[in-house]
Structure formats: C-alpha cells, structure tokens
C-alpha cells in the first residue's frame, strides 16, 4: 500500500504497508466518517486491519502511524468502521458464528475492550453494516429471509424495518452520505423487477423511488401432469444462497410453460429436490434440466455421475469440474487462497478423497453395450449422460479453460457409439477466446447472446415440439 501525492512523481510514493502472506487479500477503504483510512488484510478465514489517520500530512515524506485493530487469528474475521470517537467492529469472535456488532473507544482497540452492540439469534445472521451520523443500519437474514435492522445511536434501541416484500433479494444502496437519516436499498423477486426505496430512519417511513411491475414466475394456468419442463438453478458454495432474483432469460422459458426451480442446496439435497419434482408430478426426468455457473457448475456437473438418470439436459457455465487437479496445484492463482474453503488435498489424504468423491471429472463412468439394458435397475450408473452444454473462457483465471475441455473430452471418449445407438443426447462445448470468468464483455447484448444460446439449447433438448 503506497501513499501518492497528486502532482508528484510515482517514484516519490511512500510505502505505508506491505503484506508478506500471499494467501491474503489487501484492500484499502475509508471509514464512513472519513476520519480514517483502513488497510484490510483478509483471507477466507482471518482478518487483520490497520487504520491510518486520514488527516496525516504526507507532504513532509513521513510514514503515517499504523494502528492495528486486532492481530489475525485463524477463524476470526472482523470488519471496521468509525463514528465520533468510537470504532464499530463487525466480527464472528467469541463464538458469534453468524456475526455480531461490537464497539470500542479510540485508544482502546484491543479485543478485550470490545462491547456488544447488536447480537444475533440462532436463526439470524449479519451480512453487512452501514454507519450514519445518528443510526447504524444492519443488513442480514432471519430464517433465511432478508432483514434490515436500525440501531439508534442516541437511544441505543434497535428495531426492524418492515420490507415491502417478504420473499425477495435485498440489495443495499451505495449510501455515501454520512450525515443523513435516510438510506436507500433495492429489492427484486421472482414476481417483480427491481424496485428501489428510500427509508427514513427518524420517521420510520418507506418511500418507493422506482418500481417496475413484471409477470409471474410461471403461467397461471399451469397444471401438474408430470410433463412440465423444469429448469433447476443453484450455486451451493461459499455460503451464497440462490436468491430469487430477476433474470430476463427466464421469460422465453416461462412463456413456453416452463417452471423455474431455485434449489438452495448442495449435491445430495439437489438430488432430493429433483426427486421431489418428479415424485409430485411437476415434471419427469425427460423434462428436467439444470444450470450452474462456476462452483454451481460443479454442483450441477456432479449430477453426471450421481444421478444422470434424473436429468434430460445440463448447462455448465465456466464450471469448476476438475477441483482435484486445481487444488493440487498451488501455482494456480486462487488455489492457496481457497484452501480454507475446499481443503488442501496435498497435505490431508481425507481431503484428497473427499474432493475426489464429488469431482465430476474423476467420477465419469464408461458404459458398454452389455450394460445398457441394466441402466433402469441401477440409475446411479452413467447409462445415458444428459445432453450437455459447457462454456469456458480462454482468459478465465478462476476456472481454467482446460477443466471444461477435459470433462468434455472424457465424456465424448466414453459415449457409446454404434449403428444401434438410439441415444439422442447432445454434447456441446463453447470456448470463448476473449472471455474471462465473468463474461466476454460488459455490454448487455453480449450477456443476452450467451443466455439465448443456452436457452435455445435447453428448448431443443427438453421441449422439442
């Protein structure tokens, strides 16, 4: 972290801080009251934050004093903001698995001085905190649903904000103004486009800023007859929920009678959801498809070896389908950073076998003509792979392009080919030479073009008539 004075040469920059640990992300922010610059050193399982007085005069070429909030400890995360003469710290320390908000006065940064301000119940979780002159806004979840709490810094009371929608995705606004009693947020749901609201914390009144109505998630006249085409979506990693957000690419499917099923799960539960849809005659395996991106591509890709009989078609977008090879290579950009999330198979044999057990690439099973007649009795054998559409990006540094290519090569090698082969499944792979992990461009037509290809593939495989 360097300090640069505008109008001076870069070689005159002052080194403020250097982080020696390659597994740590370093970023700089300022506290909401603009009194401090924070140097944040975070890994997936630890935090270490230093603060610099924002009024420090760099013109003399002096290095500012760094104040350490709390030394990093494995498993302890914390995030810092400031108000008046008090630091507010969001942390999971002291067994606060779902985080809590604490405070400590200037000059007493040690953890022993932290005092609880807002704590969570067993079914609640804090996800973000925003500090204002008179209030602190807490964003989180209660029983899996979004919630907003307001903490009054004068009365020290905390109250709930009544949201206009119960089942929704909540998106905090930027809210740069510190000295205000109003903050902005947006919500969206399967039933409506994004809507924006201003909330007055003093009057506790909600004012709509922008609302756009949209169609329902499925046709009103839909009947459960076991032949409804269904698209399942899920992510299933890093504690990220599959929120019911608005996706324009759903509508070509909804107009054709499809059902969009959002599964907030991982592996075995994903299979349970699919089984439920079939058992309750929402659909059948001939009309069931799924889509997953990145780590969600690992989840959906695992269906290739766990339950290929359940699905007619799968779309895997930049999928993490060879996690074992990736986690065995510490020279890849994110491998060491991801050890706390996935484990280190190079050091722990149990982690090695665990990753190997769910890796799509490691578990594809070849099928011979003699085995084909036994598929119905053993559905977990790879009798017929679902039709498959895979994307990859040559410039992807998170999921290297060779992962999808290896998977597709192995599938095509194993697909049974003979004059009597009646299989109709298709395998398609698209490598974008100019794409990174998050797409080939920022223009909406690029994203919609990719989505259109995937929707067309699903319709062609699941809903041919």
């Amino acid at each position: 972290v360097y300090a640069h004075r505008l109008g001076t040469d870069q070689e005159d920059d002052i080194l403020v801080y250097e982080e020696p640990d390659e597994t740590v992300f370093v970023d700089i922010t300022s506290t909401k009251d603009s009194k401090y610059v924070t140097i944040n050193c975070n890994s997936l399982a630890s935090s270490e934050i230093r603060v610099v007085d924002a009024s420090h005069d760099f013109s003399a070429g002096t290095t500012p004093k760094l104040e350490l909030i709390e030394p990093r400890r494995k498993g302890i995360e914390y995030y810092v903001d400031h108000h008046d003469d008090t630091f507010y710290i969001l942390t999971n320390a002291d067994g606060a698995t779902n985080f809590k908000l604490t405070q400590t006065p200037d000059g007493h940064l040690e953890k022993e001085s932290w005092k609880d301000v807002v704590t969570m119940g067993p079914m609640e979780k804090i996800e973000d905190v925003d500090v204002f002159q008179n209030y602190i806004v807490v964003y989180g979840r209660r029983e899996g649903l979004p919630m907003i709490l307001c903490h009054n810094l004068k009365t020290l009371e905390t109250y709930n904000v009544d949201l206009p929608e119960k089942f929704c995705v909540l998106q905090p606004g930027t809210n740069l103004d510190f000295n205000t009693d109003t903050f902005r947020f947006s919500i969206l749901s399967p039933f409506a486009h994004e809507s924006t609201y201003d909330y007055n914390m003093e009057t506790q009144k909600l004012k709509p800023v922008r609302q756009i109505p949209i169609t329902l998630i499925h046709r009103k006249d839909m009947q459960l007859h076991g032949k409804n085409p269904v698209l399942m979506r899920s992510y299933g990693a890093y504690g990220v929920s599959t929120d019911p957000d608005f996706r324009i690419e759903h509508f070509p499917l909804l107009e054709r009678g499809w059902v969009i099923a959002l599964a907030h799960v991982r592996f075995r539960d994903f299979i349970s959801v699919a089984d439920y849809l079939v058992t309750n005659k929402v659909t059948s395996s001939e009309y069931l498809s799924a889509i997953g991106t990145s780590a969600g591509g690992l989840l959906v890709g695992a269906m290739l070896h766990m339950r290929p009989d359940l699905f007619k078609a799968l779309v895997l977008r930049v999928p993490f389908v060879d996690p074992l090879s990736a986690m065995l290579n510490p020279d890849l950009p994110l491998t060491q950073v991801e050890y706390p999330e996935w484990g280190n198979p190079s050091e722990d044999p149990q982690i090695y076998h665990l990753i190997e057990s769910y890796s799509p690439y490691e578990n594809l099973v070849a099928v011979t003509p003699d085995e084909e007649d036994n598929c119905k009795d053993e559905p977990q054998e790879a009798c017929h792979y679902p039709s498959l559409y895979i994307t990859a990006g040559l410039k992807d540094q998170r999921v290297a392009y060779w992962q999808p290519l290896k998977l597709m090569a192995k599938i095509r090698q194993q697909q049974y080919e003979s004059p009597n082969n009646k299989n109709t499944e298709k395998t398609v792979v698209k490598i974008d030479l100019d794409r990174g992990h998050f797409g080939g461009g920022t223009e909406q037509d690029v994203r919609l073009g990719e989505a259109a290809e995937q929707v067309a593939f699903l319709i062609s495989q699941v809903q041919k008539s």
Side-chain angles (χ1 to χ4, degrees):
V1 177
Y2 285 91
H4 174 78
R5 291 185 64 215
L6 295 178
T8 66
D9 292 334
Q10 188 172 336
E11 62 184 18
D12 295 329
D13 290 356
I14 300 172
L15 179 63
V16 177
Y17 176 76
E18 184 173 5
E19 173 57 56
D21 190 339
E22 294 183 354
T23 68
V24 170
F25 291 100
V26 177
D27 66 85
I28 57 174
T29 57
S30 62
T31 57
K32 192 69 175 287
D33 61 5
S34 300
K35 291 186 178 179
Y36 291 94
V37 174
T38 63
I39 301 175
N40 312 296
C41 305
N42 297 311
S43 71
L44 288 177
S46 69
S47 301
E48 188 171 80
I49 298 177
R50 294 165 175 82
V51 296
V52 179
D53 189 336
S55 64
H56 177 81
D57 185 4
F58 285 92
S59 62
T62 59
T63 302
K65 177 185 177 182
L66 298 180
E67 291 188 81
L68 176 64
I69 300 293
E70 178 70 13
R72 73 189 60 164
R73 288 186 291 156
K74 185 177 181 181
I76 302 300
E77 301 174 55
Y78 68 93
Y79 309 89
V80 171
D81 213 326
H82 189 267
H83 177 282
D84 253 349
D85 57 357
T86 302
F87 282 99
Y88 287 90
I89 303 169
L90 177 64
T91 182
N92 67 346
D94 304 319
T97 305
N98 292 334
F99 287 86
K100 62 180 179 178
L101 182 65
T102 65
Q103 66 177 31
T104 191
D106 293 358
H108 297 277
L109 304 185
E110 63 278 357
K111 181 179 172 301
E112 290 71 23
S113 299
W114 299 2
K115 294 183 179 180
D116 292 353
V117 178
V118 178
T119 59
M120 293 290 99
M123 301 299 290
E124 298 175 332
K125 177 185 178 183
I126 299 180
E127 295 184 332
D128 200 2
V129 171
D130 203 350
V131 178
F132 297 88
Q133 180 64 53
N134 299 316
Y135 294 88
I136 295 179
V137 177
V138 176
Y139 299 95
R141 291 180 182 269
R142 179 180 292 120
E143 296 184 347
L145 299 176
M147 71 171 182
I148 301 178
L149 304 177
C150 279
H151 177 76
N152 190 316
L153 290 169
K154 295 179 179 178
T155 66
L156 303 183
E157 295 177 338
T158 303
Y159 66 88
N160 284 282
V161 175
D162 291 331
L163 299 178
E165 293 277 353
K166 182 179 180 181
F167 298 98
C168 65
V169 181
L170 175 64
Q171 298 176 336
T174 305
N175 296 312
L176 295 177
D177 191 357
F178 175 69
N179 191 16
T180 180
D181 289 334
T182 300
F183 71 93
R184 178 169 291 186
F185 65 92
S186 298
I187 64 169
L188 63 158
S189 76
F191 318 108
H193 213 304
E194 181 178 352
S195 301
T196 304
Y197 297 87
D198 280 345
Y199 184 81
N200 189 304
M201 295 175 277
E202 186 69 27
T203 64
Q204 301 186 22
K205 298 293 185 181
L206 190 67
K207 177 184 177 182
V209 177
R210 184 177 67 248
Q211 293 177 289
I212 305 173
I214 199 69
T215 59
L216 294 176
I217 194 67
H218 62 77
R219 286 169 49 167
K220 293 181 180 180
D221 59 353
M222 186 189 73
Q223 298 179 352
L224 302 181
H225 46 56
K227 295 184 178 180
N228 299 295
V230 172
L231 174 62
M232 291 180 63
R233 306 190 75 105
S234 194
Y235 184 70
Y238 302 100
V240 177
S241 297
T242 304
D243 286 319
D245 54 359
F246 175 83
R247 293 177 180 267
I248 191 67
E249 60 266 31
H250 284 171
F251 284 86
L253 299 176
L254 295 171
E255 291 168 356
R256 288 169 170 81
W258 284 59
V259 179
I260 308 299
L262 304 179
H264 312 271
V265 297
R266 195 119 177 93
F267 297 137
R268 297 297 178 186
D269 292 329
F270 192 81
I271 294 172
S272 297
V273 171
D275 276 328
Y276 176 87
L277 294 172
V278 173
T279 301
N280 288 272
K281 299 189 181 302
V282 176
T283 189
S284 66
S285 59
E286 284 296 302
Y287 297 92
L288 182 58
S289 63
I291 188 169
T293 302
S294 190
L298 168 59
L299 166 63
V300 175
M303 299 304 105
L304 289 169
H305 65 88
M306 289 184 173
R307 286 297 299 273
D309 61 299
L310 266 178
F311 296 89
K312 180 62 177 177
L314 303 176
V315 175
L316 311 181
R317 305 193 300 190
V318 290
F320 190 45
V321 286
D322 190 14
L324 187 58
S325 294
M327 298 309 297
L328 285 170
N329 186 352
D331 295 328
L332 293 178
L334 290 180
T335 295
Q336 295 187 58
V337 175
E338 297 285 359
Y339 282 152
E341 180 73 22
W342 302 91
N344 186 346
S346 298
E347 295 184 351
D348 190 334
Q350 290 185 335
I351 295 296
Y352 182 101
H353 293 301
L354 174 63
I355 298 176
E356 184 183 41
S357 70
Y358 60 71
S359 167
Y361 180 77
E362 300 294 335
N363 289 281
L364 294 178
V365 179
V367 177
T368 66
D370 295 337
E371 294 172 328
E372 191 169 350
D373 293 336
N374 298 324
C375 288
K376 293 182 180 179
D377 298 328
E378 299 182 11
Q380 292 181 342
E381 292 296 321
C383 304
H384 294 302
Y385 291 128
S387 296
L388 197 60
Y389 185 104
I390 304 180
T391 70
L394 198 62
K395 298 180 179 179
D396 192 336
Q397 292 188 318
R398 289 178 176 255
V399 177
Y401 69 91
W402 48 259
Q403 290 203 33
L405 281 179
K406 283 177 64 177
L407 183 76
M408 183 61 80
K410 192 170 185 180
I411 288 175
R412 287 182 172 170
Q413 181 184 17
Q414 293 180 352
Q415 280 180 320
Y416 167 52
E417 297 179 359
S418 74
N420 298 324
N421 186 9
K422 298 180 181 180
N423 296 357
T424 59
E425 57 267 12
K426 306 295 183 183
T427 55
V428 179
V429 63
K430 180 182 178 182
I431 309 297
D432 192 325
L433 302 182
D434 195 42
R435 179 193 172 105
H437 191 66
F438 298 101
T442 58
E443 296 297 327
Q444 186 175 8
D445 59 349
V446 174
R447 188 186 74 82
L448 293 181
E450 295 176 349
E453 292 176 358
Q454 295 155 19
V455 168
F457 176 81
L458 289 170
I459 293 173
S460 71
Q461 297 304 300
V462 177
Q463 195 178 31
K464 299 178 182 178
S465 59

